[in-house]
Amino acid sequence: MIEYTLNGPASQERARIRLMSALRENRFPQAILIDGPAGIGKKRLAMEIAKALQCTDPNMRPCGHCFGCRMADDSGATDGWVVPMESAEAHARSSDDVSAGSKAKTVEDFKKAYIEEIQKNPYRVDVFSTGAFISVDLMRMMTSSFAMKGDRVRTVIIAEADRMNESAANAFLKTLEEVPPDTYFILTTNSREKMLQTIRSRCLALHLLPLSDEEVKSEVLRVAGEDFDESSLTDDVIGLAVGSPGKALYYAEHAKVWCKLAADFVVHSLRGNYTDLFMELSETSLSDAYEANRFLEVLSFLLADLLREQAGARLRMPETTTSVGLANFPRVDATALELALVAVQETMSRIESRRVTATMSLQSLSLKLFEGYK
């Protein structure tokens, strides 16, 4: 019997054991959907699975050196991936359509760049822009490559599959209804609820768990490289990550500014120091909708931590939470904090919908954050 080994953190070992058992017993499904929070390693596991399926070693898979393993690791083998793209990127000409010697970027060039970024750091949470999506053209490009498969096993990783638009989802559904022989689809998603139920029902569901705090630190240091400043992995950053190395890497870059701003946001809102707060917001440059909502995640986490502080529970952001000095505001009780959390979530929805600018939304939030408790 061929032995299979899928590497990864101990916290996700149960999921890997389930997959390795299916591989050994030759009952691996042709479509699998891996879901879980952002940045916990879904794409990393997908790449491990792809190598195991494509490996041709007669004893141990993935071996890492056979043709199948090398193809799975080759960012130039773009037909093994479907990734979200900006509209202009997705509509770029194919390499088959450009003239010889042309320096114009093709859709394969854009896809290769994304694959390289994922392979460099599979935990990264900001590799795709908020406007990137999976179009029906990208799905058609995937299916058109099936004719060139030959007799080898084909794997296709569909990253962030919940970003399929309606046409792409319907096109993929037709493919799932009759999957070509020796072809396997590995879908990853942060939000399986956003996907068509008919697609979900045709895939083996695999939920990936967050990592422990120690595993988060270990994985961040492993993928970040020698130039990474380990001191940026503060207790507050690890707390914000909630088991996600990808979020830890992201917040390691932003937390120093955003944690202070979140604490100031609460204190200035309570004291009515709106001029100072508006000035600080403008200096932090949160006009981009994506970054504004990532900051609001920090603010939301802080408010939840203030609730924990009132209840005497362990804090996830000890330094930032204690800096607020909630004892100086005796009128702010659990109800006030819960209402503030609701207000933050509503603001995030407005920013995401692009109905109001991020700057105006943040200013409006500061005015009503603790309405009636100041």
Side-chain angles (χ1 to χ4, degrees):
M1 181 182 290
I2 300 172
E3 274 301 315
Y4 288 87
T5 302
L6 300 176
N7 297 313
S11 294
Q12 298 167 352
E13 185 175 12
R14 183 174 296 181
R16 296 198 306 278
I17 289 173
R18 181 183 176 190
L19 294 170
M20 288 186 289
S21 176
L23 287 164
R24 277 194 299 268
E25 296 168 14
N26 199 26
R27 55 177 178 82
F28 200 85
Q30 286 190 276
I32 180 171
L33 175 61
I34 308 172
D35 83 291
I40 63 168
K42 300 183 295 296
K43 297 183 189 72
R44 176 186 175 175
L45 179 58
M47 290 188 289
E48 284 280 304
I49 296 169
K51 284 175 67 176
L53 286 167
Q54 292 182 214
C55 183
T56 56
D57 190 279
N59 300 309
M60 178 64 71
R61 299 179 182 177
C63 67
H65 57 260
C66 71
F67 176 77
C69 287
R70 292 199 303 272
M71 284 294 291
D73 278 338
D74 184 5
S75 61
T78 57
D79 58 348
W81 287 80
V82 176
V83 298
M85 291 188 182
E86 296 278 358
S87 182
E89 296 170 342
H91 289 99
R93 287 187 297 174
S94 170
S95 56
D96 295 333
D97 300 327
V98 298
S99 57
S102 171
K103 295 183 179 180
K105 278 197 170 184
T106 66
V107 65
E108 289 90 352
D109 291 331
F110 288 115
K111 187 190 286 191
K112 183 174 185 272
Y114 283 122
I115 296 169
E116 286 175 346
E117 287 300 313
I118 294 169
Q119 290 176 337
K120 189 188 307 178
N121 177 8
Y123 293 111
R124 186 173 164 186
V125 296
D126 59 347
V127 64
F128 305 116
S129 71
T130 53
F133 65 99
I134 297 174
S135 67
V136 68
D137 291 333
L138 293 174
M139 281 300 173
R140 288 170 180 159
M141 182 185 300
M142 174 193 74
T143 54
S144 68
S145 68
F146 288 168
M148 300 181 289
K149 181 175 77 70
D151 59 355
R152 68 180 177 88
V153 170
R154 174 188 295 282
T155 63
V156 180
I157 299 173
I158 303 180
E160 304 197 14
D162 53 287
R163 295 205 194 200
M164 292 184 205
N165 63 17
E166 185 177 356
S167 298
N170 287 327
F172 181 58
L173 181 59
K174 290 179 181 177
T175 303
L176 278 182
E177 289 171 350
E178 192 172 347
V179 180
D182 296 323
T183 299
Y184 298 87
F185 296 106
I186 309 165
L187 289 70
T188 72
T189 177
N190 302 335
S191 179
R192 64 194 307 270
E193 292 77 17
K194 293 181 179 179
M195 298 178 60
L196 287 179
Q197 171 60 31
T198 43
I199 290 179
R200 286 152 45 190
S201 66
R202 286 170 169 78
C203 300
L204 171 71
L206 186 73
H207 181 70
L208 214 56
L209 295 174
L211 280 59
S212 68
D213 287 353
E214 285 305 312
E215 287 173 330
V216 168
K217 292 179 183 178
S218 175
E219 287 299 293
V220 166
L221 295 176
R222 184 182 68 82
V223 302
E226 296 179 357
D227 295 333
F228 181 74
D229 181 7
E230 188 174 350
S231 66
S232 64
L233 286 179
T234 63
D235 289 342
D236 284 10
V237 167
I238 297 299
L240 278 167
V242 198
S244 166
K247 285 190 175 181
L249 279 163
Y250 184 79
Y251 286 122
E253 181 180 348
H254 298 284
K256 185 174 182 180
V257 172
W258 287 359
C259 285
K260 180 182 181 302
L261 178 59
D264 289 347
F265 201 103
V266 171
V267 173
H268 287 326
S269 293
L270 284 167
R271 291 177 175 165
N273 295 339
Y274 303 119
T275 302
D276 293 342
L277 180 55
F278 291 174
M279 183 69 70
E280 193 172 351
L281 285 169
S282 65
E283 291 173 352
T284 312
S285 300
L286 289 174
S287 56
D288 177 77
Y290 178 82
E291 292 211 337
N293 271 355
R294 300 296 72 76
F295 161 69
L296 287 178
E297 283 182 355
V298 176
L299 179 59
S300 181
F301 212 105
L302 173 58
L303 292 169
D305 230 25
L306 290 170
L307 278 166
R308 294 188 191 95
E309 185 180 41
Q310 286 193 338
R314 175 177 172 268
L315 303 180
R316 292 289 295 182
M317 296 171 58
E319 184 177 346
T320 303
T321 304
T322 54
S323 73
V324 172
L326 195 61
N328 297 322
F329 306 97
R331 293 189 63 191
V332 179
D333 56 10
T335 300
L337 292 169
E338 289 167 357
L339 290 173
L341 272 169
V342 171
V344 172
Q345 295 301 317
E346 290 174 346
T347 302
M348 290 177 72
S349 296
R350 280 197 294 275
I351 291 175
E352 191 170 348
S353 70
R354 303 296 203 277
R355 293 196 301 267
V356 186
T357 66
T359 301
M360 289 183 62
S361 296
L362 291 171
Q363 291 177 350
S364 176
L365 174 64
S366 68
L367 295 172
K368 68 178 183 181
L369 191 62
F370 291 103
E371 197 65 40
Y373 292 88
K374 300 173 183 177

